[in-house]
Amino acid sequence: MSETILHATNLRRTFSEAGRELHVLRGVDLTVRRGEWLSILGRSGSGKSTLLHLIGGLDRPTSGRVVFNDETDIFTLRGAKLDRYRNAHVGLVFQQYHLMPELNALENVLIGAMLGRGLLAWPGHRRQARERAEQLLARVGLSERLTHRPNKLSGGERQRVAIARALINRPQVLLADEPTGNLDIDTSASIMELFHDLHREGQTLVMVTHDHAVAKTGDRTVTLSKGKLAGD
Amino acid sequence: MYKLLLISKYLRRKLAPLFAAVSVSFCTAMVIIVVSVMGGFLGLMRTTAKTLTGDVIVQSQFTTGFPHYDDLTERLDNLEGVELATPVVEAFGLMRLSNNDQVVQVRGIRPGEMSRIIGYEGSLLWTGQDYADAHYGDLDVATRGKIAERFDLMLAGKTLTQPALMQVLLSDVAANRLRSALQEDAGLRDAFRPTLGALLLGDREGRLSDELLRTWLAEPEAEELVLLRLRGTLLLDPGLLDTPGFPAFDDAAAMVIGVAVNRYQRRDREGQYHFVDPETGYINSAAGTRASITLVPFSPRGELAFEPVRREIGIANEFKSGFYETDQNVVYVPLGWLQEQLQMQRSEDIDASTADPFTGEGGTVSITPARVHQIVVKAEPGQDTDELAARVRRVVEAFSEDHDDVSSMALTTITWEQKHGALLGAVQNEKGLVTFLFAIISIVAIVMVATTFYMIVLEKTRDIGVLRAIGAPATGVLGLFLTYGLAIGVLGTGLGVWFGWAVVTNLNHIQDALANRMATLVAVVAMAFFAALAVTVAVAVLRRRRQREFSIGAGVLLFFAVCVLLFTGVYYGFPSIDIPALASTDARIGWRMWDPQTYYFERIPDQVEWSEVLWIAVGAVVSSVVGAAIPAIIAATLNPIEALRYE
């Protein structure tokens, strides 16, 4: 196993809007090592979310590469393989939680596992996946809330469900985009506590934040400014 | 698997797709109802047209008809695949019935043979008992029974001849013959004495003297009265017919008329005919009475060579073919009788110029063979009509070649379908057009599904983004919405097929209820509907109050279940439901969507053609998927990041 999980080289992302070119990332180089907790600090609009989306395979860069596990540039992956990367190798946590309102907590977690299996393969994995989902929800302190739908959960609880969902397929990297941005101080602290625990258990974490205090909890902080990374 | 999970959740928690399903249901039901009724209508028409016509018809283009038909009939009878062939003479006549003149189509037939071809005997309406009960209701049951026997209208209809009693009673000629027979035959007088004595003197002891009787019979002034009394005698004692010396009457021709030819006949609200009008008490039926027919004979050369002939003829019975056009226009008479009236029978002419001028003998005898207008052919079961027509055509060609005087008659062979082509084609066109129109209307369902799905895609944009973010492929999102459309389609179509089937098979019940008990029906249906609504709302409120979950899907399901339960109760209980307050409203209002008084058939066709339903169902499901396709493509091509940012 390599020390480096993700290696981004010269990432550039330019958006065109109303005929104007908006250079959000202007050549970012970034390395994420196995087991580390990397915080990317930056102001609003500095491009930190864009960087996270690129690493997570949600978006494609204007130029540059992201090599995963020293093997492949994920942007050379086509369709289904890139979907597979997002599903199995990275886990995404968003500021707005992005849970599905029709599904209860358990189903919201399970859906990530379902995505990786076909209709026919699913019954064979159902029990195992369900056990894992229940474990994860218990792990984030929601074992009593399995059948609650998101509208019956508090913000902190929703974020915990979202974290459980991100972890269901045992991703090598957990990508979190301002995970405490919508939460009050106490709840934020408990979420950060959870991240700490996960990190202690060996989970690699990449967290984007605008909050210096939050960023400091990580092993290492990089700052994104004017589309470039400043200092390690 | 996630697709199924999400679809099942979306179906249960969203009202909009259920509306889409309902619109698919109604469109499906609508097309099924239209296709079934129009198809049933066409089917009925075809069956009726075929049963009324025979399978293949050989006909002459000319009013004069064609000769040597016995030869052709025999050849056709011997043709493989032919069950029976029978000649028919067809003419138009002016019929006068109870001071009512009208043009009728007079068909001269051999009733026995015709019956095997068009089921003519089965269409006869009245029995002798109907006649006896209607006309002689004041006589005792036993006597009416005897009259019914003598007036066997069924038999008269089957043979197209009148029974002797009927003839005597109906024609002055026959009654006069009886009168002279009585004057001459002492034995016959003795037989008649008791009944006639009872009639004339109110005494059955035979005290009516022979002399008084003879004087009475010879009374010229009282002719009308004498004939009337003689008829009364026979009516009271039909056994007198068997008396030795009773004048013999030949089988006289009689006709059977279409029941609607008789303008006094009318259908009740259920489309049924009655011998005696149940409302007015008038005798509607003309069976057992007389009518006159005026016919115009044509010479063999097709000239109007003869004076029109007017003939009195008894009406043996009335028939109901089930096809109003026929019932309104056609009368059947015996073939030979009609040939005679139209001068189409075999005749011998002696050319006077070639005869011996002194003795008047010898002259050249020219024979004109009898003629008919058509030969109706019945195919053996399972015989293909077109194929048979082709073989009949070859036989007709050979026949024309063998007879010089036939070749110019331009015989044509047509099938029953060609004969009724205009009418059947019209109905077929109508069905096609209506189906097309309703299919167009069904596009509404597709648009409805498309709109609903577009709204769902907009609402679910963030979910789509999430799904993509956690690894769902674009094709997965496409599949999700297409499968969703399929689920809506299957659900809607299933309901629609059930609803369409329920409506079609109960159309006649529904129309009866609408026509006779509209107010009660509306009241009961409204009550059931609101009761279901009330139950649903009550359950929802109760569950909410107890902080229990109660989804929209559950509500809709509960509402449907209660509706089905209550409507089933209404359906089976309706005949016994009686709301006295609404009885007068029921009597006043009412809507008959299919009036059997004015339509060809009495009942609305109520058969569902399942092969057609299958196509309609497939069409409806495909339409739903097509309706979902564009929104599904939009969903699949959404940029995941933009989708996640969507507010």
Side-chain angles (χ1 to χ4, degrees), chain B residues 502-526:
Chain B
V503 168
V504 169
T505 49
N506 289 298
L507 260 181
N508 288 300
H509 294 297
I510 294 171
Q511 102 134 346
D512 286 346
L514 280 176
N516 304 324
R517 308 186 61 196
M518 197 183 208
T520 311
L521 182 72
V522 171
V524 169
V525 167

PDB file of all heavy atoms in Angstrom, chain B residues 502-526:
ATOM      1  N   ALA B 502     -65.100  -3.181 -16.061  1.00  0.00           N
ATOM      2  CA  ALA B 502     -66.278  -3.068 -15.193  1.00  0.00           C
ATOM      3  C   ALA B 502     -67.367  -2.242 -15.865  1.00  0.00           C
ATOM      4  O   ALA B 502     -68.547  -2.589 -15.813  1.00  0.00           O
ATOM      5  CB  ALA B 502     -65.879  -2.438 -13.859  1.00  0.00           C
ATOM      6  N   VAL B 503     -66.966  -1.171 -16.532  1.00  0.00           N
ATOM      7  CA  VAL B 503     -67.963  -0.319 -17.189  1.00  0.00           C
ATOM      8  C   VAL B 503     -68.597  -1.044 -18.375  1.00  0.00           C
ATOM      9  O   VAL B 503     -69.820  -1.092 -18.514  1.00  0.00           O
ATOM     10  CB  VAL B 503     -67.330   1.019 -17.645  1.00  0.00           C
ATOM     11  CG1 VAL B 503     -68.275   1.773 -18.570  1.00  0.00           C
ATOM     12  CG2 VAL B 503     -67.001   1.883 -16.437  1.00  0.00           C
ATOM     13  N   VAL B 504     -67.741  -1.639 -19.208  1.00  0.00           N
ATOM     14  CA  VAL B 504     -68.268  -2.269 -20.425  1.00  0.00           C
ATOM     15  C   VAL B 504     -69.233  -3.405 -20.081  1.00  0.00           C
ATOM     16  O   VAL B 504     -70.353  -3.464 -20.593  1.00  0.00           O
ATOM     17  CB  VAL B 504     -67.115  -2.795 -21.315  1.00  0.00           C
ATOM     18  CG1 VAL B 504     -67.660  -3.674 -22.441  1.00  0.00           C
ATOM     19  CG2 VAL B 504     -66.366  -1.626 -21.916  1.00  0.00           C
ATOM     20  N   THR B 505     -68.819  -4.270 -19.152  1.00  0.00           N
ATOM     21  CA  THR B 505     -69.687  -5.415 -18.868  1.00  0.00           C
ATOM     22  C   THR B 505     -70.953  -5.004 -18.127  1.00  0.00           C
ATOM     23  O   THR B 505     -71.911  -5.766 -18.083  1.00  0.00           O
ATOM     24  CB  THR B 505     -68.945  -6.496 -18.050  1.00  0.00           C
ATOM     25  OG1 THR B 505     -68.303  -5.851 -16.962  1.00  0.00           O
ATOM     26  CG2 THR B 505     -67.919  -7.215 -18.882  1.00  0.00           C
ATOM     27  N   ASN B 506     -70.947  -3.794 -17.563  1.00  0.00           N
ATOM     28  CA  ASN B 506     -72.143  -3.351 -16.845  1.00  0.00           C
ATOM     29  C   ASN B 506     -72.868  -2.208 -17.539  1.00  0.00           C
ATOM     30  O   ASN B 506     -73.728  -1.568 -16.950  1.00  0.00           O
ATOM     31  CB  ASN B 506     -71.779  -2.932 -15.422  1.00  0.00           C
ATOM     32  CG  ASN B 506     -71.429  -4.127 -14.582  1.00  0.00           C
ATOM     33  OD1 ASN B 506     -72.268  -4.996 -14.371  1.00  0.00           O
ATOM     34  ND2 ASN B 506     -70.195  -4.208 -14.137  1.00  0.00           N
ATOM     35  N   LEU B 507     -72.475  -1.956 -18.811  1.00  0.00           N
ATOM     36  CA  LEU B 507     -73.060  -0.813 -19.513  1.00  0.00           C
ATOM     37  C   LEU B 507     -74.581  -0.825 -19.476  1.00  0.00           C
ATOM     38  O   LEU B 507     -75.215   0.198 -19.252  1.00  0.00           O
ATOM     39  CB  LEU B 507     -72.590  -0.821 -20.970  1.00  0.00           C
ATOM     40  CG  LEU B 507     -71.458   0.124 -21.305  1.00  0.00           C
ATOM     41  CD1 LEU B 507     -71.120   0.033 -22.775  1.00  0.00           C
ATOM     42  CD2 LEU B 507     -71.831   1.556 -20.963  1.00  0.00           C
ATOM     43  N   ASN B 508     -75.155  -2.007 -19.702  1.00  0.00           N
ATOM     44  CA  ASN B 508     -76.613  -2.064 -19.759  1.00  0.00           C
ATOM     45  C   ASN B 508     -77.243  -1.816 -18.391  1.00  0.00           C
ATOM     46  O   ASN B 508     -78.278  -1.164 -18.290  1.00  0.00           O
ATOM     47  CB  ASN B 508     -77.066  -3.395 -20.343  1.00  0.00           C
ATOM     48  CG  ASN B 508     -76.787  -3.456 -21.831  1.00  0.00           C
ATOM     49  OD1 ASN B 508     -77.296  -2.649 -22.588  1.00  0.00           O
ATOM     50  ND2 ASN B 508     -75.933  -4.381 -22.241  1.00  0.00           N
ATOM     51  N   HIS B 509     -76.571  -2.314 -17.335  1.00  0.00           N
ATOM     52  CA  HIS B 509     -77.055  -2.030 -15.984  1.00  0.00           C
ATOM     53  C   HIS B 509     -76.968  -0.529 -15.713  1.00  0.00           C
ATOM     54  O   HIS B 509     -77.866   0.077 -15.146  1.00  0.00           O
ATOM     55  CB  HIS B 509     -76.220  -2.755 -14.935  1.00  0.00           C
ATOM     56  CG  HIS B 509     -76.342  -4.240 -15.006  1.00  0.00           C
ATOM     57  ND1 HIS B 509     -77.528  -4.887 -14.787  1.00  0.00           N
ATOM     58  CD2 HIS B 509     -75.444  -5.199 -15.292  1.00  0.00           C
ATOM     59  CE1 HIS B 509     -77.349  -6.182 -14.936  1.00  0.00           C
ATOM     60  NE2 HIS B 509     -76.089  -6.393 -15.235  1.00  0.00           N
ATOM     61  N   ILE B 510     -75.824   0.033 -16.108  1.00  0.00           N
ATOM     62  CA  ILE B 510     -75.606   1.454 -15.850  1.00  0.00           C
ATOM     63  C   ILE B 510     -76.666   2.274 -16.569  1.00  0.00           C
ATOM     64  O   ILE B 510     -77.256   3.190 -16.009  1.00  0.00           O
ATOM     65  CB  ILE B 510     -74.186   1.877 -16.311  1.00  0.00           C
ATOM     66  CG1 ILE B 510     -73.139   1.187 -15.436  1.00  0.00           C
ATOM     67  CG2 ILE B 510     -74.026   3.388 -16.244  1.00  0.00           C
ATOM     68  CD1 ILE B 510     -71.724   1.350 -15.929  1.00  0.00           C
ATOM     69  N   GLN B 511     -76.910   1.900 -17.836  1.00  0.00           N
ATOM     70  CA  GLN B 511     -77.891   2.685 -18.578  1.00  0.00           C
ATOM     71  C   GLN B 511     -79.289   2.488 -18.003  1.00  0.00           C
ATOM     72  O   GLN B 511     -80.073   3.432 -17.950  1.00  0.00           O
ATOM     73  CB  GLN B 511     -77.807   2.338 -20.065  1.00  0.00           C
ATOM     74  CG  GLN B 511     -78.868   1.417 -20.564  1.00  0.00           C
ATOM     75  CD  GLN B 511     -79.447   1.941 -21.873  1.00  0.00           C
ATOM     76  OE1 GLN B 511     -79.218   3.079 -22.235  1.00  0.00           O
ATOM     77  NE2 GLN B 511     -80.191   1.119 -22.550  1.00  0.00           N
ATOM     78  N   ASP B 512     -79.606   1.297 -17.547  1.00  0.00           N
ATOM     79  CA  ASP B 512     -80.909   1.085 -16.919  1.00  0.00           C
ATOM     80  C   ASP B 512     -81.041   1.953 -15.675  1.00  0.00           C
ATOM     81  O   ASP B 512     -82.072   2.583 -15.442  1.00  0.00           O
ATOM     82  CB  ASP B 512     -81.092  -0.392 -16.531  1.00  0.00           C
ATOM     83  CG  ASP B 512     -81.354  -1.247 -17.763  1.00  0.00           C
ATOM     84  OD1 ASP B 512     -81.652  -0.650 -18.824  1.00  0.00           O
ATOM     85  OD2 ASP B 512     -81.252  -2.475 -17.668  1.00  0.00           O
ATOM     86  N   ALA B 513     -79.954   1.954 -14.880  1.00  0.00           N
ATOM     87  CA  ALA B 513     -79.985   2.755 -13.651  1.00  0.00           C
ATOM     88  C   ALA B 513     -80.113   4.234 -13.985  1.00  0.00           C
ATOM     89  O   ALA B 513     -80.879   4.967 -13.359  1.00  0.00           O
ATOM     90  CB  ALA B 513     -78.737   2.500 -12.827  1.00  0.00           C
ATOM     91  N   LEU B 514     -79.365   4.672 -15.014  1.00  0.00           N
ATOM     92  CA  LEU B 514     -79.427   6.088 -15.391  1.00  0.00           C
ATOM     93  C   LEU B 514     -80.801   6.458 -15.925  1.00  0.00           C
ATOM     94  O   LEU B 514     -81.291   7.567 -15.715  1.00  0.00           O
ATOM     95  CB  LEU B 514     -78.369   6.390 -16.453  1.00  0.00           C
ATOM     96  CG  LEU B 514     -76.949   6.584 -15.966  1.00  0.00           C
ATOM     97  CD1 LEU B 514     -76.013   6.788 -17.142  1.00  0.00           C
ATOM     98  CD2 LEU B 514     -76.869   7.793 -15.046  1.00  0.00           C
ATOM     99  N   ALA B 515     -81.416   5.519 -16.634  1.00  0.00           N
ATOM    100  CA  ALA B 515     -82.692   5.821 -17.280  1.00  0.00           C
ATOM    101  C   ALA B 515     -83.843   5.791 -16.275  1.00  0.00           C
ATOM    102  O   ALA B 515     -84.740   6.621 -16.319  1.00  0.00           O
ATOM    103  CB  ALA B 515     -82.946   4.839 -18.406  1.00  0.00           C
ATOM    104  N   ASN B 516     -83.793   4.837 -15.366  1.00  0.00           N
ATOM    105  CA  ASN B 516     -84.968   4.641 -14.514  1.00  0.00           C
ATOM    106  C   ASN B 516     -84.787   5.146 -13.088  1.00  0.00           C
ATOM    107  O   ASN B 516     -85.758   5.469 -12.422  1.00  0.00           O
ATOM    108  CB  ASN B 516     -85.320   3.157 -14.453  1.00  0.00           C
ATOM    109  CG  ASN B 516     -85.542   2.597 -15.841  1.00  0.00           C
ATOM    110  OD1 ASN B 516     -86.068   3.287 -16.709  1.00  0.00           O
ATOM    111  ND2 ASN B 516     -85.127   1.359 -16.062  1.00  0.00           N
ATOM    112  N   ARG B 517     -83.538   5.173 -12.603  1.00  0.00           N
ATOM    113  CA  ARG B 517     -83.347   5.516 -11.192  1.00  0.00           C
ATOM    114  C   ARG B 517     -82.171   6.464 -11.035  1.00  0.00           C
ATOM    115  O   ARG B 517     -81.296   6.279 -10.201  1.00  0.00           O
ATOM    116  CB  ARG B 517     -83.113   4.237 -10.391  1.00  0.00           C
ATOM    117  CG  ARG B 517     -84.191   3.181 -10.626  1.00  0.00           C
ATOM    118  CD  ARG B 517     -83.996   2.007  -9.724  1.00  0.00           C
ATOM    119  NE  ARG B 517     -84.077   2.409  -8.338  1.00  0.00           N
ATOM    120  CZ  ARG B 517     -83.634   1.646  -7.332  1.00  0.00           C
ATOM    121  NH1 ARG B 517     -83.086   0.479  -7.578  1.00  0.00           N
ATOM    122  NH2 ARG B 517     -83.735   2.065  -6.084  1.00  0.00           N
ATOM    123  N   MET B 518     -82.172   7.496 -11.828  1.00  0.00           N
ATOM    124  CA  MET B 518     -81.031   8.401 -11.866  1.00  0.00           C
ATOM    125  C   MET B 518     -80.802   9.085 -10.521  1.00  0.00           C
ATOM    126  O   MET B 518     -79.681   9.123 -10.016  1.00  0.00           O
ATOM    127  CB  MET B 518     -81.252   9.446 -12.940  1.00  0.00           C
ATOM    128  CG  MET B 518     -79.993  10.161 -13.345  1.00  0.00           C
ATOM    129  SD  MET B 518     -80.419  11.407 -14.546  1.00  0.00           S
ATOM    130  CE  MET B 518     -78.926  11.522 -15.477  1.00  0.00           C
ATOM    131  N   ALA B 519     -81.862   9.617  -9.944  1.00  0.00           N
ATOM    132  CA  ALA B 519     -81.715  10.354  -8.688  1.00  0.00           C
ATOM    133  C   ALA B 519     -81.165   9.450  -7.591  1.00  0.00           C
ATOM    134  O   ALA B 519     -80.233   9.808  -6.866  1.00  0.00           O
ATOM    135  CB  ALA B 519     -83.061  10.937  -8.272  1.00  0.00           C
ATOM    136  N   THR B 520     -81.730   8.239  -7.501  1.00  0.00           N
ATOM    137  CA  THR B 520     -81.257   7.291  -6.494  1.00  0.00           C
ATOM    138  C   THR B 520     -79.792   6.967  -6.739  1.00  0.00           C
ATOM    139  O   THR B 520     -78.981   6.948  -5.802  1.00  0.00           O
ATOM    140  CB  THR B 520     -82.096   6.006  -6.551  1.00  0.00           C
ATOM    141  OG1 THR B 520     -83.472   6.367  -6.554  1.00  0.00           O
ATOM    142  CG2 THR B 520     -81.812   5.107  -5.378  1.00  0.00           C
ATOM    143  N   LEU B 521     -79.448   6.734  -8.013  1.00  0.00           N
ATOM    144  CA  LEU B 521     -78.066   6.380  -8.344  1.00  0.00           C
ATOM    145  C   LEU B 521     -77.112   7.493  -7.922  1.00  0.00           C
ATOM    146  O   LEU B 521     -76.109   7.245  -7.246  1.00  0.00           O
ATOM    147  CB  LEU B 521     -77.940   6.112  -9.849  1.00  0.00           C
ATOM    148  CG  LEU B 521     -76.558   5.685 -10.319  1.00  0.00           C
ATOM    149  CD1 LEU B 521     -76.271   4.268  -9.860  1.00  0.00           C
ATOM    150  CD2 LEU B 521     -76.436   5.774 -11.826  1.00  0.00           C
ATOM    151  N   VAL B 522     -77.432   8.718  -8.320  1.00  0.00           N
ATOM    152  CA  VAL B 522     -76.564   9.857  -7.989  1.00  0.00           C
ATOM    153  C   VAL B 522     -76.441   9.979  -6.468  1.00  0.00           C
ATOM    154  O   VAL B 522     -75.341  10.130  -5.937  1.00  0.00           O
ATOM    155  CB  VAL B 522     -77.127  11.159  -8.601  1.00  0.00           C
ATOM    156  CG1 VAL B 522     -76.362  12.364  -8.069  1.00  0.00           C
ATOM    157  CG2 VAL B 522     -77.023  11.107 -10.113  1.00  0.00           C
ATOM    158  N   ALA B 523     -77.576   9.861  -5.775  1.00  0.00           N
ATOM    159  CA  ALA B 523     -77.562   9.998  -4.321  1.00  0.00           C
ATOM    160  C   ALA B 523     -76.686   8.925  -3.679  1.00  0.00           C
ATOM    161  O   ALA B 523     -75.834   9.223  -2.834  1.00  0.00           O
ATOM    162  CB  ALA B 523     -78.987   9.919  -3.784  1.00  0.00           C
ATOM    163  N   VAL B 524     -76.882   7.685  -4.103  1.00  0.00           N
ATOM    164  CA  VAL B 524     -76.159   6.571  -3.485  1.00  0.00           C
ATOM    165  C   VAL B 524     -74.663   6.661  -3.772  1.00  0.00           C
ATOM    166  O   VAL B 524     -73.833   6.491  -2.875  1.00  0.00           O
ATOM    167  CB  VAL B 524     -76.745   5.225  -3.972  1.00  0.00           C
ATOM    168  CG1 VAL B 524     -75.852   4.084  -3.551  1.00  0.00           C
ATOM    169  CG2 VAL B 524     -78.144   5.033  -3.432  1.00  0.00           C
ATOM    170  N   VAL B 525     -74.321   6.980  -5.036  1.00  0.00           N
ATOM    171  CA  VAL B 525     -72.905   7.089  -5.400  1.00  0.00           C
ATOM    172  C   VAL B 525     -72.259   8.233  -4.618  1.00  0.00           C
ATOM    173  O   VAL B 525     -71.160   8.089  -4.079  1.00  0.00           O
ATOM    174  CB  VAL B 525     -72.752   7.293  -6.921  1.00  0.00           C
ATOM    175  CG1 VAL B 525     -71.335   7.714  -7.271  1.00  0.00           C
ATOM    176  CG2 VAL B 525     -73.097   6.008  -7.657  1.00  0.00           C
ATOM    177  N   ALA B 526     -72.953   9.362  -4.539  1.00  0.00           N
ATOM    178  CA  ALA B 526     -72.404  10.500  -3.807  1.00  0.00           C
ATOM    179  C   ALA B 526     -72.217  10.142  -2.336  1.00  0.00           C
ATOM    180  O   ALA B 526     -71.178  10.446  -1.739  1.00  0.00           O
ATOM    181  CB  ALA B 526     -73.329  11.698  -3.955  1.00  0.00           C
TER     182      ALA B 526
END
